[in-house]
């Protein structure tokens, strides 16, 4: 969908007009005329009352049709974003015009663009039939072009991450995913290095190799760098890139394996965020490290009880091969630390426990100190993504002690699994400023609603971009 600005007197004869309606069918600013023309009986028959989440399409005299978007009691950033998402899917014409961006809410332009670009997302790569979205062009009346352009950079990046995650594991072997990542990052002007298996062996990334051992598809490690002149700060990113998580020899049951093509979401998210940061020209240095591998069950697969040596930090007794994300992250963290960033953030679909704790819509954040935690939470709230802090409760670290190695990769119990996983990672960051984002729950949207589309969510991209923004000194 193309999203652009238009003027107050845009021709509406072939377009759908999208306007906002408040609770009890009070017109939002700019909806007065359209609402006055709609017959009250029609609204009643459609049970339309301006409630959040409602949309109603009616024929109209000034425009080809009008989509009324319920905004609830008071229009706000989130209701405009969600309403726009619902509206763009309801439009039946190729062109639509809206004034939702003029409602007088902080960030309304961004809300409209995010709603449209994210809510209008479709993954049709593998569909031979079915209807693509009718809407092709959305025009924002008097839309601020700079705000629109900036927002489109992050929504494009979010949708790029969604594309990669939605792609079947068959078509994103580590080699192929590395190629796609390299292509996209290079196009954004970033420097990219891809380590093949030989290089990974040379560099002694024993934990990544241990996970990769069970697959016929060799691992890769991608390093992406954004190096602006005189960077104001330096951010290090690491993303979990398990291209399919079968569990390894500690194999998953069929039900739990169904969605495991998602297990490279962290890699997709940090890469897409880096691309957006570069496109926005933010004066923050970024080094992004993405270890990519299957977790499979071939004859050479790592066995429970085997000990792995990551590039730096404690040796690991692997007691459950399904706790593989923390293994490849140990190596990823070891590599990113060589670049001595001011802050490290890793993103991973790491634990079912985080999903159990916070559900489908909230991601967990762990941080080395309160300042880091607040910077992530603030960035998330600015981005309109939902994160909640969980504690790095040191007492639980004892549960990760191994009899024969420095650490084991599971705690032995079911409880507090998101925390023990985070504590495990903390052993590979030493005293660096660090945050760990466990997106196992919200990496996938379970339903289409508002700006969310069933399938990969891209959660984390916009929070990381806001984080980089917050590290940028005011000009
Ligand atoms: N990739 C999974 C975690 C996951 C679960 C992501 C559900 C998305 C949705 C991870 O590698 C895993 O298998 N974790 C285990 C760890 C356990 C063996 C300690 C888990 O959470 O069950
Ligand atoms: Mn696993
Ligand atoms: Zn996994």
């Amino acid at each position: 969908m193309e999203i652009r600005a238009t003027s107050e007197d845009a021709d509406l004869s072939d377009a759908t007009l999208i306007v906002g309606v408040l609770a009890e069918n009070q017109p939002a600013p700019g909806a007065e005329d359209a609402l006055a023309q709609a017959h009250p009986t029609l609204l009643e028959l459609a049970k339309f009352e301006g409630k959040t989440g409602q949309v109603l399409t009616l024929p109209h005299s000034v425009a080809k049709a009008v989509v009324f978007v319920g905004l609830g009691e008071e229009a706000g950033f989130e209701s405009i974003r969600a309403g726009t998402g619902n509206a763009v899917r309801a439009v039946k014409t190729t062109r639509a015009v809206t004034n939702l961006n003029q409602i007088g809410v902080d960030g309304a332009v961004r809300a409209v663009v995010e709603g449209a670009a994210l809510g209008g997302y479709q993954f049709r790569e593998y569909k031979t039939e079915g209807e693509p979205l009718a809407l092709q062009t959305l025009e924002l009346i008097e839309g601020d072009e700079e705000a629109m352009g900036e927002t489109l950079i992050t929504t494009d990046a979010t949708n790029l991450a969604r594309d990669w995650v939605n792609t079947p594991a068959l078509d994103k072997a580590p080699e192929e995913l590395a190629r796609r990542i390299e292509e996209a990052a290079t196009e954004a002007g970033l420097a990219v290095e891809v380590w093949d298996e030989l290089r990974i062996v040379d560099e002694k990334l024993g934990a990544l190799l241990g996970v990769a051992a069970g697959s016929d598809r060799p691992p890769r490690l991608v390093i992406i760098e954004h190096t602006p002149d005189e960077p104001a700060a330096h951010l290090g990113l690491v993303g979990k890139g398990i291209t399919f998580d079968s569990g390894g020899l500690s194999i998953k049951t069929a039900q739990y394996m169904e969605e495991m093509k998602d297990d490279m979401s962290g890699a997709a998210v940090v890469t897409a965020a880096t691309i957006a940061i570069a496109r926005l020209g933010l004066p923050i240095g970024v080094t992004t490290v993405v270890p990519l591998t299957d977790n499979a069950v071939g004859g050479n697969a790592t066995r429970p009880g085997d000990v792995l040596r990551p590039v730096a930090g404690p040796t690991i007794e692997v007691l459950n091969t399904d706790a593989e994300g923390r293994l490849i992250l140990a190596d990823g963290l070891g590599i990113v630390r060589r670049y001595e960033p001011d802050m490290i953030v890793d993103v991973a679909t790491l634990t079912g426990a985080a999903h159990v704790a916070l559900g489908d819509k909230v991601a967990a954040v762990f941080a080395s100190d309160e300042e880091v935690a607040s910077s992530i939470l603030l960035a998330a709230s600015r981005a309109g993504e939902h994160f909640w802090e969980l504690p790095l409760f040191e007492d639980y670290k004892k549960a990760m002690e191994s009899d024969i190695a420095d650490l084991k990769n599971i705690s032995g119990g079911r409880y507090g699994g998101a925390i023990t996983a985070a504590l495990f990672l903390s052993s590979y960051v030493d005293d660096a400023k660090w945050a760990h984002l466990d997106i196992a729950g919200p990496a996938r949207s379970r339903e289409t609603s508002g700006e969310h589309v069933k399938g990969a969510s891209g959660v984390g991209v916009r929070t990381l971009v806001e984080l980089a923004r917050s590290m940028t000194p005011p000009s």
Side-chain angles (χ1 to χ4, degrees), residues 62-106:
V62 286
K64 192 157 172 73
V66 169
V67 171
F68 294 104
V69 173
L71 298 174
E73 294 297 327
E74 204 184 339
F77 182 87
E78 304 231 342
S79 63
I80 293 176
R81 180 169 66 186
T84 309
N86 292 328
V88 295
R89 290 187 299 268
V91 169
K92 295 287 171 267
T93 53
T94 57
R95 198 179 146 239
V97 176
T98 190
N99 59 14
L100 280 170
N101 53 296
Q102 294 183 306
I103 283 187
V105 161
D106 248 10

Side-chain angles (χ1 to χ4, degrees), residues 404-415:
I404 70 157
D406 300 330
L407 285 178
K408 56 184 182 184
N409 74 332
I410 48 166
S411 64
R414 293 170 55 218
Y415 300 122

Side-chain angles (χ1 to χ4, degrees), residues 390-430:
L390 295 179
L392 282 167
F393 189 64
E394 287 284 330
D395 266 20
Y396 295 169
K397 224 173 182 169
K398 288 197 272 300
M400 308 300 284
E401 282 168 10
S402 156
D403 290 339
I404 70 157
D406 300 330
L407 285 178
K408 56 184 182 184
N409 74 332
I410 48 166
S411 64
R414 293 170 55 218
Y415 300 122
I419 299 177
T420 47
L423 284 167
F424 177 95
L425 296 179
S426 73
S427 299
Y428 297 89
V429 291
D430 282 343

Side-chain angles (χ1 to χ4, degrees), residues 240 245 247 252 263 295 321-324:
K240 172 177 174 182
D245 185 8
K252 287 182 186 294
D263 216 19
N295 186 24
T321 62
D322 198 11
E324 83 298 338

Side-chain angles (χ1 to χ4, degrees), residues 334-475:
I335 297 303
V336 87
R337 282 191 48 217
R338 289 184 184 167
Y339 295 80
E340 300 183 349
D342 302 312
M343 192 198 293
I344 300 172
V345 182
D346 77 72
V347 184
T349 46
L350 200 63
T351 65
H355 194 177
V356 170
L358 297 174
D360 288 336
K361 298 184 178 178
V362 181
V365 49
F366 297 84
S368 56
D369 63 62
E370 275 316 303
E371 199 189 325
V372 172
S374 359
S375 67
I376 300 281
L377 291 170
L378 184 63
S381 85
R382 284 185 178 146
E385 294 188 326
H386 305 294
F387 281 78
W388 199 261
E389 188 181 5
L390 295 179
L392 282 167
F393 189 64
E394 287 284 330
D395 266 20
Y396 295 169
K397 224 173 182 169
K398 288 197 272 300
M400 308 300 284
E401 282 168 10
S402 156
D403 290 339
I404 70 157
D406 300 330
L407 285 178
K408 56 184 182 184
N409 74 332
I410 48 166
S411 64
R414 293 170 55 218
Y415 300 122
I419 299 177
T420 47
L423 284 167
F424 177 95
L425 296 179
S426 73
S427 299
Y428 297 89
V429 291
D430 282 343
D431 54 357
K433 287 196 175 295
W434 161 70
H436 158 57
L437 313 185
D438 191 336
I439 57 167
R444 178 184 284 248
S445 302
R446 311 267 143 197
E447 55 187 27
T448 297
S449 163
E451 71 277 22
H452 307 287
V453 174
K454 193 171 180 212
S457 70
V459 68
V461 172
R462 285 168 298 139
T463 293
L464 291 176
V465 171
E466 284 304 323
L467 179 70
R469 264 211 188 96
S470 73
M471 294 167 83
T472 308
S475 53

